């Protein structure tokens, strides 16, 4: 078994700071033959009308795959109410596609003439789509899809409504209204349809879709947001029972908050754990941040990658669309989280997060397949996705030191 040399050197640095002990962990067994969900990508949102567009350089940082890039492979954009605004996010969308990303879109409101106000609890000016405008609204979404296609952006999917259950400032939908729209109108939309995008992955919003065969036939992606969703609510047994042939995406979140700097350490490691849980516990196929460029986001306002962004890049740069998550020992030691993915051929990507205050000596064993070497990249307090070199694999095993409060990505060859 080969030990990654640079990571071993990092252990001595930990020792110099007074935390000399290196905890031994149980072996993390990676089983390439035990395949789980197919990954569609990791990414974020741009919304030019609210915070301004990404610059050309920032687009390349967000969607490029090399060193110093985030490696995002999904872009989410809004569906403006007015056709006059439909070109606002096209330049960023086109560049994202050129760099290998897919693009989805979500509406906050239908055009004003399709909306009526009603009383919802204490809200006297709540908005909803008029029932006689469902067909026109489907055409509105279809027209936006066509407009983007004519301008070089083929949407992967379009949502019915952003957060229909947290819509004090936009348009409310009840679960029954979403089902009705899916049953009667969504079939006419010329791209994949996403619903319901509950703000907190509330299952009472998506269960009715899964329980209605006609509505389910007209939706392609069950989308959810994870604002404040406890990890215990990440699994979705009903989707496993009813969702065959459908995709499951996490289409918006920031975590753990929008008040702290994205460079706060070790808090930024919460993002790595959150993605791990979204992949392993929830089995989402995509993970999409809110604003790409923001003080609490993956890219700072100056265009540089933040610590939260580095955590995302450990997944996004190496776990590419089409990779398949494979079974791995998810928690081989306290505060250690491991997930694994199979790419083309026999290559395996492993992302290991150590949130503990001590370094961990971690053995990884492949249950099958062949690997002769492994390369690694490390983020800790002082480094961001820093290359750590390549070492050998012996008898399908390798051992690495995971420094305290760090995230490491390994790629076998």
């Amino acid at each position: 078994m080969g030990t990654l040399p640079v990571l071993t050197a990092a252990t001595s640095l930990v020792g110099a700071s007074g935390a000399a002990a290196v905890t031994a962990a149980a072996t993390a067994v990676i089983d390439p033959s035990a395949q789980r969900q197919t990954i569609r990508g990791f990414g974020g949102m741009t919304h030019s009308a609210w915070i301004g567009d990404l610059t050309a350089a920032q687009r390349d940082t967000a969607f490029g795959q090399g060193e110093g890039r985030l490696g995002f492979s999904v872009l989410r954009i809004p569906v403006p109410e007015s056709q006059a605004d439909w070109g606002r996010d096209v330049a960023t969308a086109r560049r994202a596609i050129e760099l290998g990303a897919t693009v989805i879109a979500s509406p906050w409101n239908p055009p004003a003439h399709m909306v009526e106000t009603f009383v919802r609890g204490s809200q006297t000016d709540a908005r909803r789509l008029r029932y006689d405008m469902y067909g026109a609204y489907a055409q509105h979404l279809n027209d936006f899809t066509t407009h983007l296609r004519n301008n070089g952006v083929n949407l992967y999917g379009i949502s019915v409504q952003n957060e229909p259950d947290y819509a004090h400032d936009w348009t409310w939908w009840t679960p029954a209204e979403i089902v009705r729209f899916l049953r009667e109108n969504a079939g006419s939309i010329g791209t994949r349809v996403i619903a319901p995008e509950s703000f907190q992955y509330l299952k009472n919003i998506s269960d009715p879709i899964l329980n209605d065969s006609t509505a389910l036939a007209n939706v392609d992606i069950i989308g959810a947001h994870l604002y404040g969703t406890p990890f215990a609510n990440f699994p979705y047994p009903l989707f496993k029972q009813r969702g065959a042939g459908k995709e499951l995406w996490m289409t918006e979140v920031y975590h753990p908050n929008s008040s702290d700097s994205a460079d706060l350490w070790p808090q930024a490691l919460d993002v790595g754990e959150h993605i791990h849980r979204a992949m392993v516990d929830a089995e989402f196929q995509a993970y999409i941040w809110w604003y790409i460029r923001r003080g609490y986001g993956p890219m700072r306002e100056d265009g540089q990658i933040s610590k939260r962004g580095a955590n995302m890049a450990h997944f996004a740069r190496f776990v590419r669309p089409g990779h398949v998550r494979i079974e791995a020992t998810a928690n081989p030691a306290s505060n250690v989280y491991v997930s694994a993915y199979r790419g083309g051929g026999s290559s395996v990507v492993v992302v290991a997060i150590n949130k503990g205050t001590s370094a961990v000596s971690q053995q990884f064993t492949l249950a099958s397949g062949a690997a002769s070497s492994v390369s690694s990249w490390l983020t800790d307090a002082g480094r961001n996705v820093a290359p750590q070199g390549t070492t050998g694999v012996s008898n399908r095993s390798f051992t690495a030191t995971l420094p305290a409060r760090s995230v490491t990505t390994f790629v076998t060859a």
Side-chain angles (χ1 to χ4, degrees):
M1 293 176 289
T3 301
L4 297 186
V6 179
L7 292 180
T8 301
T11 306
S12 65
L13 295 177
V14 173
S17 67
V22 177
T23 303
T27 298
V29 178
I30 315 296
D31 188 354
S33 67
Q35 299 191 2
R36 300 298 180 243
Q37 75 270 30
T38 299
I39 304 303
R40 297 301 179 202
F42 303 84
M45 175 103 190
T46 58
H47 200 311
S48 300
W50 289 358
I51 62 164
D53 201 359
L54 299 179
T55 66
Q58 289 166 359
R59 293 166 189 156
D60 288 357
T61 297
F63 299 100
Q65 297 179 44
E67 298 296 331
R69 303 287 192 259
L70 282 166
F72 283 177
S73 52
V74 182
L75 169 66
R76 182 173 179 244
I77 61 174
V79 181
E81 301 165 37
S82 170
Q83 293 189 17
D85 298 323
W86 282 0
R88 280 191 310 222
D89 297 286
V90 165
T92 291
R94 272 204 299 249
R95 184 56 178 155
I97 288 172
E98 288 172 359
L99 292 170
T102 55
V103 181
I104 65 169
S106 297
W108 269 246
N109 293 298
H113 72 276
M114 298 183 189
V115 175
E116 64 183 3
T117 59
F118 70 107
V119 176
R120 185 184 186 276
S122 61
Q123 186 178 3
T124 58
D125 60 347
R127 283 174 285 183
R128 68 184 173 205
L129 180 65
R130 285 168 41 188
Y131 288 177
D132 63 346
M133 287 290 178
Y134 277 32
Y137 182 56
Q139 188 61 52
H140 168 73
L141 298 179
N142 213 27
D143 288 346
F144 179 77
T145 300
T146 300
H147 176 85
L148 262 63
R149 184 181 301 119
N150 291 340
N151 285 275
V153 178
N154 290 318
L155 287 180
Y156 187 86
I158 194 165
S159 174
V160 173
Q161 172 65 48
N162 172 75
E163 296 182 348
D165 54 339
Y166 191 77
H168 305 82
D169 296 321
W170 45 87
T171 302
W172 294 98
W173 292 65
T174 66
E177 289 167 344
I178 295 172
V179 166
R180 174 180 169 178
F181 181 83
L182 292 174
R183 287 178 60 95
E184 299 178 5
N185 305 101
S188 66
I189 297 172
T191 189
R192 294 174 187 86
V193 174
I194 305 168
E197 290 202 284
S198 165
F199 83 102
Q200 206 169 56
Y201 201 15
L202 299 179
K203 307 305 193 296
N204 66 310
I205 309 298
S206 48
D207 281 357
I209 299 171
L210 293 167
N211 285 323
D212 188 300
S213 59
T214 304
L216 186 59
N218 287 332
V219 71
D220 302 279
I221 300 169
I222 298 296
H225 300 177
L226 292 178
Y227 290 111
T229 310
F231 292 144
N233 291 353
F234 275 29
Y236 199 179
L238 186 64
F239 179 83
K240 282 184 165 293
Q241 296 168 16
R242 304 282 176 83
K246 308 300 176 181
E247 298 189 7
L248 186 64
W249 286 41
M250 199 292 295
T251 55
E252 183 189 311
V253 79
Y254 54 74
H255 183 83
N257 56 47
S258 62
S259 56
D260 290 333
S261 164
D263 286 317
L264 190 62
W265 191 265
Q267 187 201 72
L269 278 171
D270 290 351
V271 174
E273 182 188 357
H274 198 253
I275 299 175
H276 167 89
R277 302 275 193 167
M279 295 294 107
V280 175
D281 299 348
E283 298 190 79
F284 284 116
Q285 296 173 257
Y287 186 100
I288 304 172
W289 195 266
W290 178 224
Y291 293 134
I292 292 174
R293 186 195 64 223
R294 211 63 175 161
Y296 56 84
M299 183 189 295
R300 302 196 309 249
E301 291 290 354
D302 64 1
Q304 299 302 304
I305 294 172
S306 69
K307 285 295 187 183
R308 290 183 181 182
N311 273 261
M312 291 193 70
H314 272 277
F315 292 87
R317 275 182 52 192
F318 305 99
V319 183
R320 302 300 298 169
H323 274 58
V324 177
R325 188 177 72 84
I326 55 179
E327 197 60 42
T329 304
N331 194 207
S334 177
N335 293 312
V336 174
Y337 303 93
V338 174
S339 62
Y341 311 83
R342 185 171 185 171
S346 59
S347 177
V348 170
V349 178
V350 179
V351 184
I353 301 154
N354 178 13
K355 295 186 72 178
T357 56
S358 299
V360 171
S361 178
Q362 182 63 61
Q363 180 177 348
F364 300 90
T365 297
L366 299 170
S368 62
S372 59
S373 65
V374 60
S375 303
S376 65
W377 290 258
L378 171 70
T379 293
D380 59 9
R383 290 170 284 192
N384 279 1
V385 205
Q388 300 299 291
T390 302
T391 191
V393 175
S394 177
N395 296 322
R396 296 200 298 267
S397 292
F398 64 95
T399 298
T401 298
L402 308 178
R405 292 173 169 168
S406 69
V407 53
T408 310
T409 296
F410 304 94
V411 180
T412 70

